[in-house]
Amino acid sequence: MESGLAEAIVLREHGGPERLRLETVEVGEPGPGQVRLRQTAVGVNFHDCYVRSGLYRTLPLPGIPGLEAAGVVEAIGPDVPDLRPGDRVAYFTARYGAYASERLIEADLLAPLPDAIDDRRAAAIMVKGLTAQLLVHRVHRIGPGDTVLVHAAAGGVGILLCQWARHLGATVIGTVGSEDKAEVARRLGCNHTILYREEDFVARVREITGGRGVDVAYDSVGRDTFEGSLDCLARLGHLVNFGQSSGPVEPFAVARLSKGSFSLTRPMLFHYVRDPRELRQMSDQLFEAIGTGVLTVREPRALPLTEAEEAHRLLEARATSGSVVLLP
Ligand SMILES: NC(=O)c1ccc[n+]([C@@H]2O[C@H](COP(=O)([O-])OP(=O)(O)OC[C@H]3O[C@@H](n4cnc5c(N)ncnc54)[C@H](OP(=O)(O)O)[C@@H]3O)[C@@H](O)[C@H]2O)c1
């Protein structure tokens, strides 16, 4: 590729995965506080599917989707004191633009990568790992004795969430869409798995917990599971709806929470990492969790950047386990 140009996936209209088209784009020189990054692996998130379909209207069109990537610093603009060309870094950004071979990015969003974390894993864990981290430490403080329900337990976020909750002493019940996924989820954190396409997960949760229910239900599936998640809660239980892989949750009567003095939250990662210092602290804590073995990060499924369309199809068809990355 000619210098100053990059390959990128550009979204011009909302719609199906076929809307993700490869184009050549101008990158330009880094301005004050910026670097030019050669991206080696780009994380794919379910969020990208919402952006592509138009469920989320947060990316102005035409635009380049993608929230996270890993790469190597190529060039540095003025006022970037602590990075050098050749440094390996990873990032998460709410400003999109990750589906590209090169990009400009604010230096204070970049987390230097420890040698022990390879680029593919790094690109796969910024959004998902930071999300798991805030879910177990901040949205709900998981501790010994808690019983936790995690939907899509073998998914990108799910598999990290299960491991972290288990490490903090919780008993973890995970729902999964297939026996293969159940096997992965049990190996990496779940005490119990439920095949929620075949079994009534509410009845199984009641059975596993001796009728008590769970202290917290982490629900990223949304429409198909929300009602059941509410029915799984123990007295004073907390329902955390943090995604909608099956579709948005229907309107909800708040008075229903009085059944067990339940609480309901709908957290978004963006709101927890507004400040670059906070982002750096959280990513250091995430890398430490990986370095000390709290989290095992599986090798992500890798596809060429040119196959972004296929990556979205796989994710929406529930055909993935763990994370997917695109390789420019
Ligand atoms: N709030 C935040 O800040 C935040 C941050 C990151 C991610 N998220 C959310 O967390 C969720 C997980 O994200 P991810 O990128 O790690 O994806 P993922 O969990 O790897 O993929 C989605 C999984 O959801 C399950 N699922 C259930 N019903 C589905 C349906 N109708 N269509 C598609 N999938 C369905 C499938 O697992 P089974 O086959 O096991 O059912 C599927 O593999 C997403 O909803 C995402 O939006 C939220």
Side-chain angles (χ1 to χ4, degrees):
M1 174 82 23
E2 203 179 305
S3 157
L5 299 178
E7 287 197 323
I9 299 293
V10 179
L11 185 68
R12 293 190 170 273
E13 273 180 273
H14 295 122
E18 72 287 350
R19 300 282 189 203
L20 299 169
R21 299 270 174 78
L22 190 73
E23 295 189 17
T24 299
V25 297
E26 195 92 45
V27 181
E29 290 307 313
Q34 287 189 320
V35 308
R36 192 172 70 236
L37 191 65
R38 179 171 57 78
Q39 305 205 118
T40 49
V42 176
V44 178
N45 288 283
F46 219 93
H47 179 103
D48 309 343
C49 302
Y50 308 144
V51 166
R52 188 212 69 229
S53 70
L55 178 66
Y56 288 175
R57 302 270 166 153
T58 40
L59 172 70
L61 302 190
I64 301 173
L67 299 167
E68 64 181 337
V72 179
V73 173
E74 286 273 290
I76 291 180
D79 307 325
V80 177
D82 51 2
L83 285 170
R84 308 232 174 305
D87 284 353
R88 290 179 63 237
V89 294
Y91 68 84
F92 148 67
T93 175
R95 296 196 199 137
Y96 299 103
Y99 283 23
S101 58
E102 284 203 17
R103 71 171 301 171
L104 300 180
I105 187 154
E106 277 57 42
D108 62 9
L109 292 175
L110 301 177
L113 276 178
D115 291 343
I117 302 179
D118 65 59
D119 292 18
R120 293 182 186 195
R121 283 183 173 82
I125 47 105
M126 294 304 286
V127 169
K128 299 170 194 75
L130 295 172
T131 302
Q133 182 181 0
L134 78 91
L135 291 174
V136 298
H137 286 306
R138 294 171 72 185
V139 175
H140 190 101
R141 283 185 175 276
I142 296 292
D146 284 340
T147 304
V148 167
L149 175 66
V150 177
H151 288 302
V157 177
I159 201 68
L160 300 171
L161 182 53
C162 290
Q163 293 180 69
W164 219 323
R166 180 82 176 260
H167 169 75
L168 294 170
T171 299
V172 182
I173 305 170
T175 67
V176 285
S178 69
E179 190 45 63
D180 286 352
K181 291 186 180 186
E183 204 275 314
V184 171
R186 279 194 300 270
R187 188 155 37 84
L188 287 176
C190 285
N191 301 81
H192 309 272
T193 51
I194 301 172
L195 296 175
Y196 61 164
R197 293 166 93 165
E198 293 166 25
E199 304 173 87
D200 173 349
F201 75 84
V202 180
R204 285 281 290 126
V205 165
R206 292 279 162 203
E207 192 186 315
I208 291 165
T209 59
R212 179 179 174 274
V214 297
D215 300 290
V216 54
Y218 290 113
D219 188 338
S220 67
V221 172
R223 184 161 54 207
D224 291 355
T225 48
F226 183 84
E227 288 293 329
S229 297
L230 206 55
D231 288 341
C232 286
L233 295 180
R235 190 174 56 89
L236 310 187
H238 183 182
L239 172 51
V240 181
N241 169 234
F242 70 99
Q244 58 242 313
S245 307
S246 67
V249 173
E250 298 296 326
F252 168 80
V254 174
R256 293 183 55 202
L257 298 174
S258 64
K259 185 176 171 197
S261 295
F262 301 143
S263 54
L264 169 67
T265 47
R266 179 49 178 104
M268 291 294 283
L269 175 61
F270 306 117
H271 301 138
Y272 288 79
V273 288
R274 285 269 143 135
D275 169 5
R277 267 176 316 162
E278 196 175 20
L279 177 58
R280 181 64 71 90
Q281 270 172 5
M282 283 180 73
S283 41
D284 286 349
Q285 200 186 0
L286 173 63
F287 297 155
E288 193 186 317
I290 295 167
T292 55
V294 170
L295 298 181
T296 297
V297 182
R298 298 166 71 212
E299 170 84 22
R301 183 163 178 172
L303 283 83
L305 178 67
T306 47
E307 289 181 27
E309 176 179 340
E310 175 65 3
H312 278 220
R313 283 193 204 289
L314 291 170
L315 207 54
E316 290 178 311
R318 308 171 76 158
T320 62
S321 161
S323 300
V324 179
V325 295
L326 299 170
L327 305 181

